[in-house]
């Protein structure tokens, strides 16, 4: 799992930009416009601040990638890992960068725009080039980053191992008598100690709050007898982690143990369904069937999973209606849950990568119900 085994460098970024331009052409697009964020980082390695000053990468089939940057940030752009594959032009304060873009665009073309591009910039693209049309990457090229190469899978595995180590540490600490937000702060600290540079979420949902899948972490004081759902993740070396375990403070009741077992069986069954060619929705169906058979179908109120890569939530989605077949290198969560309103909930989540022969888990902590203090 050495992180230097498959170095990321200019060749990787040039290959990704080439792949993106080809995918754009295949989708009938004149090109792609990418502003700072995960897509730009993945394509070029460049991660400038996200501001009102326009930074935009233009990828068009058959053309050299062009990066437009504020002149004051040009030295940073020139040191980006993928800079050798780019033509970089600066625009000084006082000049209209959108007008600079116009001669580079097909006036009637359709362009893909990175999902997180600020409305401020997109509206300016539309004003500058009113005959062109623009659509979001997720709609036009949802699978652009979905298949990970071996280097990316190992980065995701390292992030998963770090999240697992944070979990092993947190369950040794005391829960009863502490607020959810205090346990969440410990989780964030532990993720950082295990190498995360960015924390995206540290959900700690105790007692009745565990029945709310998107409860964050609040002032509730955790008590003996509580179920506690912990769902946490972030970025380590540019790649995401996201894992959930549900623990119990003191000995669980027979009903709590039963619900936990059903979720664990659903998670395991969905994991075993992973192999190339299986439609994404099948992973959801398999998990849902186990929960339905146990009589809890109406209490599994969200999709089974989402992709992960340089962000913690991205395509492909393990959801009814997603017919896309799994391919080796796709990385995604499997996270079924049961939520009994006002009472308690259970969720178990691992990141899984599809390999040639089946699924490989990137989270490997025990999935049995764990009793904490
Ligand atoms: Zn309990
Ligand atoms: Zn999660
Ligand atoms: Zn997740």
């Amino acid at each position: 799992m050495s992180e230097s085994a498959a170095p990321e460098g200019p060749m990787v970024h040039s290959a990704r930009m080439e792949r993106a331009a080809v995918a754009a052409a295949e989708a009938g697009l004149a090109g792609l416009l990418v502003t700072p964020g995960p897509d730009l980082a993945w394509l070029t390695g460049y991660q400038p601040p996200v501001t009102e000053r326009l930074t935009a990468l233009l990828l068009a089939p058959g053309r050299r990638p062009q990066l437009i940057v504020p002149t004051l940030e040009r030295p940073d752009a020139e040191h980006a890992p993928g800079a050798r594959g780019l033509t970089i032009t600066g625009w000084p304060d006082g000049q209209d960068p959108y007008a600079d873009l116009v001669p580079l665009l097909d006036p009637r073309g359709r362009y893909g725009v990175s999902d997180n591009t600020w409305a401020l910039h997109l509206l300016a693209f539309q004003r500058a080039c009113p005959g062109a049309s623009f659509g979001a990457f997720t709609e036009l090229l949802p699978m652009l980053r979905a298949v990970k190469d071996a280097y990316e899978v190992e980065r995701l595995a390292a992030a998963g191992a770090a999240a697992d180590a944070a979990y092993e540490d947190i369950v040794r600490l005391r829960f009863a008598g502490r607020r959810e937000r205090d346990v969440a702060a410990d989780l964030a600290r532990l993720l950082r100690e295990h190498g995360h540079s960015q924390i995206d979420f540290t959900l700690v949902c105790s007692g009745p709050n565990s029945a709310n899948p998107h409860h964050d972490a609040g002032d509730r004081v955790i008590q003996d007898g509580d179920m506690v759902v912990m769902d946490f993740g972030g970025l380590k070396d540019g790649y995401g982690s996201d894992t959930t375990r549900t623990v119990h403070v003191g000995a669980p009741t027979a009903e709590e143990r039963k619900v936990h077992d059903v979720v664990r069986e659903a998670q395991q069954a969905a994991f075993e369904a992973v192999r190339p060619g299986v439609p994404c929705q099948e992973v959801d169906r398999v998990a849902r069937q186990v929960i339905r058979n146990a009589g809890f179908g109406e209490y599994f109120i969200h999709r089974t999973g989402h992709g992960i890569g340089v962000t913690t939530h991205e395509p492909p989605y393990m959801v009814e209606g997603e017919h896309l077949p799994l391919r080796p290198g796709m990385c995604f969560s499997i996270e079924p849950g049961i939520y009994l309103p006002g009472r308690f909930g259970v969720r178990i989540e691992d990141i899984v990568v599809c390999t040639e022969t089946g699924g490989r888990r990137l989270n490997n902590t025990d999935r049995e119900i764990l009793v904490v203090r």
Side-chain angles (χ1 to χ4, degrees):
M1 216 182 281
S2 161
E3 293 193 4
S4 56
E8 192 172 50
M11 295 308 293
V12 171
H13 292 108
S14 290
R16 287 177 184 169
M17 286 189 274
E18 174 69 26
R19 205 207 304 172
V22 168
E26 286 171 359
L29 302 175
L32 303 176
L33 281 163
V34 190
T35 60
D39 290 305
L40 188 68
W42 183 78
L43 288 162
T44 67
Y46 184 40
Q47 300 187 65
V50 182
T51 73
E52 78 290 352
R53 285 189 175 102
L54 180 69
T55 293
L57 171 69
L58 173 62
L59 295 178
R63 281 236 308 263
R64 186 172 161 81
Q66 181 125 17
L67 184 68
I68 294 173
V69 299
T71 298
L72 77 166
E73 293 172 9
R74 186 172 174 153
D76 289 339
E78 285 169 345
H79 286 100
R84 272 172 27 202
L86 297 166
T87 299
I88 300 175
T89 54
W91 63 271
D93 281 347
Q95 189 172 313
D96 180 358
Y98 308 100
D100 293 350
L101 256 182
V102 171
L104 305 174
L105 300 182
D106 173 347
R108 303 247 156 252
R110 180 155 176 76
Y111 286 86
V113 180
S114 44
D115 283 10
N116 63 304
T117 293
W118 283 7
L120 177 76
H121 298 308
L122 175 58
L123 291 168
F125 295 155
Q126 290 175 330
R127 268 197 307 274
C129 210
S133 67
F134 302 89
F137 275 18
T138 285
E139 286 164 20
L140 299 171
L141 299 173
M143 294 306 132
L144 184 61
R145 293 192 272 109
V147 173
K148 275 69 182 179
D149 62 24
Y151 170 84
E152 295 187 288
V153 170
E154 287 320 305
R155 284 255 173 140
L156 286 160
D164 286 357
Y167 173 75
E168 301 283 8
D169 289 345
I170 197 81
V171 295
R172 291 197 186 93
L173 303 181
R174 189 162 184 87
F175 283 68
R178 300 175 68 215
R179 294 180 308 168
E180 292 172 342
R181 66 169 74 252
D182 298 326
V183 176
D186 281 341
L187 259 176
R189 173 180 56 79
L190 289 165
L191 285 168
R192 285 212 169 79
E193 281 179 19
H194 290 289
H196 280 61
S197 59
Q198 176 180 318
I199 312 303
D200 284 3
F201 43 86
T202 51
L203 276 59
V204 177
C205 318
S206 69
N209 290 341
S210 62
N212 173 2
H214 267 175
H215 176 74
D216 188 352
D219 288 326
R220 186 177 183 278
V221 175
I222 300 171
Q223 296 163 22
D224 195 45
D226 280 354
M227 280 288 200
V228 183
V229 173
M230 289 185 287
D231 185 346
F232 49 97
L235 297 185
K236 177 182 187 292
D237 297 324
Y239 282 82
S241 69
D242 182 5
T243 184
T244 307
R245 290 292 182 269
T246 303
V247 300
H248 192 271
V249 186
T253 65
E255 184 195 26
E256 287 168 333
R257 193 173 279 283
K258 154 100 175 146
V259 170
H260 197 282
D261 281 348
V262 171
V263 174
R264 187 164 50 83
E265 283 162 23
Q267 211 273 350
Q268 178 67 25
F271 168 70
E272 288 172 9
V274 172
R275 62 185 177 280
V278 167
C280 290
Q281 69 175 5
E282 183 65 16
V283 177
D284 181 84
R285 285 181 177 182
V286 168
R288 208 164 293 281
Q289 194 59 49
V290 172
I291 290 174
R292 203 177 281 141
N293 288 349
F296 295 102
E298 67 186 288
Y299 303 112
F300 178 18
I301 53 178
H302 55 73
R303 68 190 177 209
T304 293
H306 55 83
I308 188 168
V310 294
T311 72
T312 45
H313 281 87
E314 60 188 45
Y317 295 101
M318 304 301 122
V319 65
E320 183 67 31
E322 179 53 88
H323 302 274
L324 187 92
L326 292 178
R327 287 171 54 190
M330 283 183 174
C331 293
F332 49 89
S333 71
I334 298 182
E335 50 179 304
I338 294 175
Y339 309 92
L340 304 178
R343 300 186 60 216
F344 68 90
V346 174
R347 180 166 67 260
I348 299 173
E349 173 180 24
D350 288 338
I351 300 304
V352 171
V353 55
C354 180
T355 75
E356 296 286 351
T357 52
R360 170 191 164 199
R361 292 184 192 271
L362 303 187
N363 294 106
N364 293 287
T365 57
D366 195 1
R367 281 170 288 277
E368 299 270 351
I369 190 165
L370 183 77
V371 172
V372 297
R373 291 178 295 139

